[in-house]
Amino acid sequence: MSPTVKYKKLDPRAQVPAYATPGAAAADLCALLDAPLTLAPMQRALIPTGLAIELPDAGCVALVYARSGLSIKHGVCMANGVGVIDSDYRGELRVPMVNLSTESYTIQPGERVAQLCIAPVWQANFAPAEELSDSQRGAGGFGSTGKL
């Protein structure tokens, strides 16, 4: 069952998030710009989308991810890695971007700049513990391999 996510266009030019293919896990978010915006190397900018969303309940989170094509081809990615949109946020979706390349990159009005993924979320109950159970990896691992 797919959740229904309500959206509001804050600007009539805003583009509704859309899945590029039937198998896409995330919908594209597009830049709402009056003119092209050039990011110099190492420059950051907050890119508006002109959209606000309402998640169905506290059991959902919206996650904003970089587009891999922009990252790999041009070195342009999200400044914060992954954006977390809580279920009670109603403001404009804006994408913090950074140009990690050595060359300038120009973001065009309407360009797909990020991906929006809706996922389930659980709020944990945190409990103090004197000891934690053993695991195969243990406490001394580095990364996923447990090795340097």
Side-chain angles (χ1 to χ4, degrees), residues 22-148:
D28 291 322
L29 289 175
C30 299
L32 181 70
L33 299 171
D34 293 326
L37 174 67
T38 299
L39 289 178
M42 300 309 295
Q43 183 180 2
R44 294 182 305 269
L46 194 56
I47 309 301
T49 66
L51 294 170
I53 62 171
E54 180 181 335
L55 295 169
D57 56 49
C60 287
V61 64
L63 301 171
V64 181
Y65 295 103
R67 292 197 62 244
S68 56
L70 280 178
S71 299
I72 296 300
K73 294 176 187 172
H74 305 289
V76 177
C77 56
M78 289 184 51
N80 62 336
V82 175
V84 176
I85 302 168
D86 298 313
S87 63
D88 55 357
Y89 179 71
R90 296 294 184 272
E92 181 180 14
L93 303 183
R94 294 177 287 175
V95 181
M97 300 193 76
V98 61
N99 181 357
L100 299 177
S101 173
T102 57
E103 298 178 15
S104 293
Y105 180 79
T106 301
I107 300 170
Q108 300 297 326
E111 182 174 349
R112 297 176 299 151
V113 292
Q115 300 180 86
L116 181 68
C117 181
I118 309 301
V121 67
W122 298 270
Q123 286 189 342
N125 295 312
F126 294 96
E130 293 295 323
E131 303 226 5
L132 301 177
S133 61
D134 289 334
S135 72
Q136 185 175 5
R137 181 172 167 195
F142 295 94
S144 62
T145 63
K147 300 176 184 173
L148 288 175

